[in-house]
Amino acid sequence: MHHEKRGHGNRSWIKIDQEGNSEVLELEKATIMRRCSLPSRDMRLLDPLFLCPSTILGREKAIVVSLEQIRCVITSDEVILMNSLDGCAAQYKSELCKRLQANKDQSDDLPFEFRALELALELTCLLLDAQVKGMEGEIYPLLDDLASSINTLNLERVRRFKGNLLTLTQQVQKVRDEIEHLMDDDGDMAEMYLTEKKRRMEANIRSNLYLEASFFGKQPPKSAPVSPVGSANGTYKLQRAFSSIVNSSSLMSSSTSGDNIEQLEMLLEAYFVVIDDMLSKLLSLKESIDDTEDLINIKLGNVQNQLIQFQLLFTAATFLATMFAALTAVFGMNFADDVFDHPSSFQLIVYLTLIACGLVYFGFLFYFRYKKIFPL
């Protein structure tokens, strides 16, 4: 029986070009790796079978994006999106196609890869923000109910929400850390400007072709004698032309790269502020849960102290009642004594014993108050 090797089967991908046209393709990982010059470890980030953290990687010819349910490869002229059944891929495709077709006749400051990356960040922030707001709407009323009425059902719901809150906080934290890592590294941001790299590569190719045509087009015929002075002058002119082209190209690329790094940094900073605000809300929510837990522990401690106080009073009363019962047991024995000849004497002893027990009990109470065991 033939078994298909894991990772080598065809998967469904959505290709979106610069004009906003999309089509569904069945591609292998190896095909995408060759097409976009990606290593195999980058393709594992796009595999839904692997639970990978949120990642944005800039490569030579592509940007690898793995943000929650949005997993795609962005090049300078197309987006290869992992087709999924959760609706995020369809939403990304429809929104990107709509924006590209709407801006087809309009000039946009952002290159194609930045617009695709911006939409991925935007949808990720919208998805996480919806989860944060939903959790806030459920947890805050539950904490108010729990603070006023402690019961097992509310405690179990808070425990479940606390686990979900921890998972969501980790997701938001990973997205925030990834954006912050990109903003701190100018080299990574410069690597992500694919359109400019492609333009520089094409310009270098044209320059090389121009130099080759200029050099070989002015070669003297083989039959004519070659003057050493003329040859040296031609070589010198060629070197000067080549160095001037390289210097102008490098200066243009460095200035353009600096502007684009600032442009990308502003884009990332906008979404960093949004994701950082979500993280602050989640941390505030966690603090509210911790404060409610502290309040519950204080209330439970207070109830426990009241039970201990009641137990202490009950123990003192039981001790005195035992003393009174011991006295009655002594007089209940069958022995001869002058006290039994006078019934009023027995009643007097019983009354005196009750008074003594009452005085001892109040003595206990004043002792507890003096020791500040509990207020009375």
Side-chain angles (χ1 to χ4, degrees):
M1 182 180 295
H2 175 71
H3 293 280
E4 186 180 1
K5 291 184 179 180
R6 178 173 176 173
H8 293 276
N10 291 348
R11 291 189 179 276
S12 178
W13 300 83
I14 302 175
K15 189 185 78 169
I16 307 171
D17 60 14
Q18 291 181 335
E19 302 297 326
N21 303 318
S22 64
E23 61 176 327
V24 179
L25 303 175
E26 296 291 332
L27 300 175
E28 293 184 352
K29 287 185 178 180
T31 304
I32 300 178
M33 290 166 56
R34 290 192 301 267
R35 188 171 183 170
C36 304
S37 301
L38 295 177
S40 59
R41 62 178 178 271
D42 290 347
M43 295 304 300
R44 283 196 291 269
L45 298 175
L46 305 177
D47 197 334
L49 299 178
F50 292 94
L51 297 177
C52 300
S54 297
T55 307
I56 302 175
L57 298 176
R59 299 306 185 195
E60 181 64 26
K61 296 182 179 180
I63 300 174
V64 181
V65 178
S66 177
L67 295 174
E68 298 303 317
Q69 284 80 14
I70 300 176
R71 299 166 185 250
C72 62
V73 178
I74 304 173
T75 65
S76 59
D77 51 8
E78 65 181 6
V79 175
I80 303 177
L81 175 67
M82 169 72 72
N83 196 2
S84 60
L85 301 177
D86 54 10
C88 291
Q91 184 181 5
Y92 180 87
K93 182 200 74 171
S94 61
E95 185 65 24
L96 182 59
C97 291
K98 183 173 67 175
R99 294 185 182 184
L100 292 175
Q101 292 173 359
N103 296 331
K104 186 181 300 182
D105 299 330
Q106 301 175 1
S107 60
D108 197 335
D109 295 336
L110 290 177
F112 172 76
E113 62 271 16
F114 286 178
R115 282 184 285 173
L117 177 61
E118 181 184 17
L119 181 59
L121 291 171
E122 180 181 344
L123 292 182
T124 301
C125 290
L126 289 176
L127 176 64
L128 294 176
D129 186 61
Q131 296 181 19
V132 171
K133 289 181 178 179
M135 191 162 291
E136 283 181 335
E138 292 180 348
I139 289 183
Y140 280 123
L142 178 60
L143 294 180
D144 294 338
D145 295 340
L146 188 61
S148 59
S149 175
I150 302 174
N151 54 63
T152 306
L153 179 60
N154 288 340
L155 289 174
E156 178 62 25
R157 291 178 61 191
V158 169
R159 185 193 66 81
R160 186 174 65 254
F161 280 127
K162 192 173 182 180
N164 297 335
L165 177 63
L166 178 61
T167 302
L168 183 58
T169 303
Q170 291 175 350
Q171 294 175 351
V172 174
Q173 182 72 49
K174 289 175 182 177
V175 176
R176 178 188 179 277
D177 292 343
E178 186 62 25
I179 297 177
E180 186 178 16
H181 172 72
L182 287 175
M183 293 172 60
D184 292 339
D185 196 331
D186 292 345
D188 288 345
M189 287 192 291
E191 192 73 18
M192 295 171 66
Y193 197 86
L194 306 178
T195 300
E196 180 61 28
K197 289 194 296 183
K198 183 179 179 181
R199 187 182 298 118
R200 291 201 304 266
M201 185 180 299
E202 293 175 351
N204 291 333
I205 293 175
R206 288 194 299 268
S207 300
N208 292 334
L209 292 177
Y210 172 75
L211 290 174
E212 291 177 1
S214 300
F215 180 74
F216 291 108
K218 293 183 180 181
Q219 286 294 328
K222 293 183 179 180
S223 60
V226 179
S227 173
V229 178
S231 178
N233 291 334
T235 305
Y236 177 69
K237 291 180 180 179
L238 180 62
Q239 290 177 352
R240 287 188 60 185
F242 181 76
S243 62
S244 63
I245 291 174
V246 171
N247 291 333
S248 62
S249 176
S250 62
L251 289 174
M252 180 183 65
S253 64
S254 62
S255 61
T256 307
S257 177
D259 294 339
N260 291 328
I261 288 176
E262 184 178 357
Q263 189 181 36
L264 178 58
E265 187 175 8
M266 293 176 62
L267 173 65
L268 295 175
E269 187 177 0
Y271 289 98
F272 178 80
V273 172
V274 174
I275 206 74
D276 188 63
D277 182 64
M278 293 183 204
L279 185 61
S280 300
K281 290 180 180 179
L282 292 175
L283 294 178
S284 299
L285 196 57
K286 183 179 181 301
E287 291 179 358
S288 298
I289 293 178
D290 294 338
D291 293 342
T292 304
E293 289 179 349
D294 294 339
L295 178 62
I296 291 174
N297 291 331
I298 292 174
K299 287 186 175 182
L300 293 178
N302 187 28
V303 172
Q304 185 177 8
N305 291 335
Q306 291 178 356
L307 291 176
I308 293 175
Q309 294 171 8
F310 176 76
Q311 183 180 5
L312 189 61
L313 295 176
F314 184 76
T315 302
T318 304
F319 172 71
L320 297 175
T322 303
M323 292 180 59
F324 181 77
L327 180 64
T328 57
V330 169
F331 282 96
M333 292 181 179
N334 188 10
F335 63 93
D337 194 270
D338 296 338
V339 177
F340 297 105
D341 297 335
H342 305 280
S344 59
S345 299
F346 179 73
Q347 294 178 357
L348 180 62
I349 292 175
V350 171
Y351 293 149
L352 290 176
T353 303
L354 287 174
I355 294 173
C357 290
L359 292 176
V360 172
Y361 186 75
F362 281 106
F364 276 131
L365 294 180
F366 285 113
Y367 177 77
F368 294 151
R369 183 177 182 181
Y370 174 75
K371 290 295 183 178
K372 298 181 180 180
I373 297 177
F374 54 86
L376 294 175

